[in-house]
Every structure is written in C-alpha cells, then in structure tokens.
Amino acid sequence: MRAARLIKLVLLLQSRPSMTGTELASRLEVSERTVARDVLALSEAGVPVYADRGRAGGYRLIGGYRTRLTGLGRTEAEALFLSGVPSALRDMGLADVASAARLKVSAALLPELSDAPTNAAQRFHLDAPGWWHPHDAPALLPAIADAVWDDRRMAARYRRREGEVERDLQPYGLILKAGVWYLAARTGEDFRVYRVDRFTAVTVGEDRFRRSADFDLPAFWEERAAQFARSILRDRVELRLTPEGARRLPHVTDRTAAREALAAAGEPDALGRLTLSLPVESSEVAYEQLLALGPEAEVLGPPELRERFARAAARSAGLYR
C-alpha cells in the first residue's frame, strides 16, 4: 500500500514543477504529516526530492529526475493496454503512433510483466460502433483530429438541412458516441457540437487559439447530451403497464425518461398495473417503440395513437386466429 503511494507521489511531482504538502495530501488522500514522512523515505532511498520551506514552499524533484515504469503492477500494466479504443485510434490516423507507444511501454516493463499486453488483448476488445451500421470513418476526421491536437483554428463548411454554412471554429475536442464522431468547437463566444460526417470541407490554419482554462470536455458532453435528449422528447403518451411492461419500458424507449415516468407513477391497481405519462419524441416514434411491449402495455392516449394500436392489435389477432 505504502509502496504504491510513494510511486504515485513521485509521479505527481514529475507532472508539476512543485506541489505543496496540502496538494499532495489531498491527491494521495493522506495527512500532510504522512506526506512529510513519505518524502523523507524517498530521500533516504535516493530519490532527489527537495522541500522548499516557507509560506510559498512545497516539494519538487531536482536534477531533472525521471522515474521509469518499473513501478507498474500487473493489473496496472494490463489496464494501460486497454486505455484506447482501437477503432477510434484507426479513424483518427493514430494507429501507428499508438502501436509505437505500446511497444515503448512494453520495453520498459519488468520482465515478469512482459505478457501483460497479450493478456489484455486476449481478454478484452473494445468495439465502439453500434450493431447493424457499417462503420465508415468520416474522411475529414484525421484533419480535424490534427487541428484538435495542435489547438489550430480551422475554416469549415458544414451541411445542414437548409444547405451548407461556413464556420470559423476553434476545435476543442472529439467525442465518439455509438459509432458517430462529434466535434466540440467554439465559434465566437459559444461552444457547439457538430457531427463530423457533416463537414464537407475543412482548412486547418496556422494560427493557434488559446484554450479556455475552465473547459471540461467530459462535463460539456454530458450536459449537451442530456439537453439533446430532453429537447427531442416534445410529446407525451399515457400508458398502463403490467409489471413486465414496467420492467421492459427502459429498454425500448429513452431510459432516463422511462425511469422518471415510472418513479412519478402512482400506486399500481388491483392487477399490479401502473398508469403513467411518458415523454416521447413523437407519436410515430412512440408507436414503433411501444409495439415491442405487445400486450404488456396499453396506450390510453392520445386518442389517435390508441386507435392506431387498436387497429394493429386487430390485425395481429386476425393473423393468429
């Protein structure tokens, strides 16, 4: 336990010019006194850790000291080789770079850990694209990925329903969601999301932009994805569900909307059925989704949707009569 903490302490100091005892204690989840003892132990072991005294003091490594990767444990080494999605690296044109990096890491591992890459590759494979959709990487993705890496401004043409528009963008980050690539980019003062396969032309400039220090790509995407999910659920359907229908509802429609509707439903009736109001994208989409529940769901409204289910049920009964 302590050995792992000491290695983490050294790696933290490698990543920053200097860190205070308070910062190290917070990152290591120990007391400042423990940090001081750990620093002393590292110094006695020959690691050149220097303590700056005083109010603005802290700890730092001197002499350009760098640790090697021999502190990696087996599970850490195996997890390292799962950190990338092969198809995503290939789409961005980084497959060769990633392969070279893995070889360098492999060469730095202890001999007894040399089988870690094979162990990981033979036990886990990350396949990001969804089923039944051919995976064709957008042609402009490598160029956009280069702009993201180098913080370079880019001029782009983007296809929308009403036609193509031109945008000057600051590309902040790429997101792969269910096999579809999205770009988070700044235009003016606003951050927006663009589907990469809708870019028809991209010119990456020489000028670099200064990133906003408080931009957090995972948090930004989570917020925008939630906003999108809420924005498309503009209609409502009234349902009566059997216990089996209630169990299966989150698997056939928007999961968050289904769970919230189930939580807001009243008490079940004498037959155990729940009556609830479900947000849906449209009556057409609701029809396709709720058909999967069969007799486990009864549509109560709107009237035209109930009538459509009644006609479908009559046709099905005729087929099996």
Side-chain angles (χ1 to χ4, degrees), residues 164-207:
E164 289 189 357
V165 296
E166 295 186 356
R167 292 286 185 266
D168 290 320
L169 301 175
Q170 298 175 15
Y172 267 64
L174 286 163
I175 304 103
L176 178 61
K177 171 70 172 179
V180 179
W181 284 96
Y182 297 89
L183 173 70
R186 190 171 192 171
T187 172
E189 295 300 316
D190 298 327
F191 285 96
R192 297 185 180 179
V193 175
Y194 300 87
R195 276 187 61 141
V196 173
D197 58 4
R198 291 181 183 169
F199 284 105
T200 58
V202 166
T203 302
V204 179
E206 294 298 323
D207 295 337

Side-chain angles (χ1 to χ4, degrees), residues 3-312:
R5 188 175 72 240
L6 291 175
I7 292 170
K8 186 175 181 180
L9 193 156
V10 174
L11 293 175
L12 285 170
L13 292 177
Q14 278 188 192
S15 66
R16 301 267 294 275
S18 176
M19 293 185 73
T20 66
T22 302
E23 290 174 327
L24 287 168
S26 175
R27 295 293 297 273
L28 297 171
E29 299 181 349
V30 296
S31 67
E32 290 186 49
R33 181 173 296 181
T34 299
V35 170
R37 286 199 297 264
D38 287 349
V39 167
L40 179 60
L42 287 170
S43 295
E44 292 174 349
V47 178
V49 183
Y50 181 78
D52 291 314
R53 305 297 179 186
R55 195 176 214 176
Y59 299 98
R60 61 187 175 88
L61 294 171
I62 60 175
Y65 179 84
R66 308 292 294 177
T67 185
R68 297 185 64 181
L69 291 174
T70 50
L72 281 176
R74 172 167 294 278
T75 54
E76 293 169 326
E78 290 173 346
L80 183 63
F81 287 92
L82 292 174
S83 59
V85 180
S87 60
L89 294 170
R90 186 170 56 250
D91 289 353
M92 291 188 290
L94 297 175
D96 291 341
V97 176
S99 177
R102 285 193 292 269
L103 285 173
K104 290 179 180 179
V105 173
S106 298
L109 292 174
L110 291 169
E112 59 266 28
L113 300 181
S114 60
D115 61 339
T118 303
N119 280 348
Q122 293 303 319
R123 286 164 174 79
F124 301 97
H125 177 70
L126 307 178
D127 187 9
W131 290 103
W132 304 298
H133 296 285
H135 179 62
D136 297 318
L140 297 175
L141 178 61
I144 295 172
D146 286 344
V148 170
W149 277 117
D150 293 338
D151 294 339
R152 294 188 184 275
R153 299 175 184 272
M154 68 182 205
R157 289 206 308 270
Y158 188 74
R159 186 177 68 254
R160 302 174 65 175
R161 288 183 181 178
E162 60 271 22
E164 289 189 357
V165 296
E166 295 186 356
R167 292 286 185 266
D168 290 320
L169 301 175
Q170 298 175 15
Y172 267 64
L174 286 163
I175 304 103
L176 178 61
K177 171 70 172 179
V180 179
W181 284 96
Y182 297 89
L183 173 70
R186 190 171 192 171
T187 172
E189 295 300 316
D190 298 327
F191 285 96
R192 297 185 180 179
V193 175
Y194 300 87
R195 276 187 61 141
V196 173
D197 58 4
R198 291 181 183 169
F199 284 105
T200 58
V202 166
T203 302
V204 179
E206 294 298 323
D207 295 337
R208 286 185 166 89
F209 62 90
R210 184 183 296 274
R211 281 178 167 265
S212 174
D214 57 357
F215 180 80
D216 184 328
L217 181 60
F220 170 79
W221 174 254
E222 183 177 359
E223 178 185 354
R224 289 304 172 91
Q227 289 176 357
F228 174 75
R230 288 193 297 269
S231 69
I232 64 173
L233 302 179
R234 293 183 289 267
D235 291 340
R236 282 190 172 270
V237 172
E238 307 302 317
L239 291 175
R240 183 181 290 127
L241 298 172
T242 67
E244 176 63 13
R247 184 188 69 80
R248 289 167 51 191
L249 183 64
H251 300 286
V252 301
T253 186
D254 182 86
R255 187 162 299 187
T256 300
R259 287 174 175 168
E260 290 177 353
L262 288 167
E267 293 296 318
D269 62 16
L271 298 177
R273 299 175 301 179
L274 286 175
T275 299
L276 54 86
S277 177
L278 177 69
V280 295
E281 183 175 345
S282 65
S283 290
E284 184 66 33
V285 172
Y287 176 76
E288 295 176 359
Q289 292 174 337
L290 297 176
L291 270 179
L293 297 180
E296 309 301 335
E298 178 187 358
V299 174
L300 305 176
E304 60 274 14
L305 185 60
R306 178 179 173 85
E307 178 59 29
R308 187 175 181 183
F309 270 90
R311 292 196 301 269

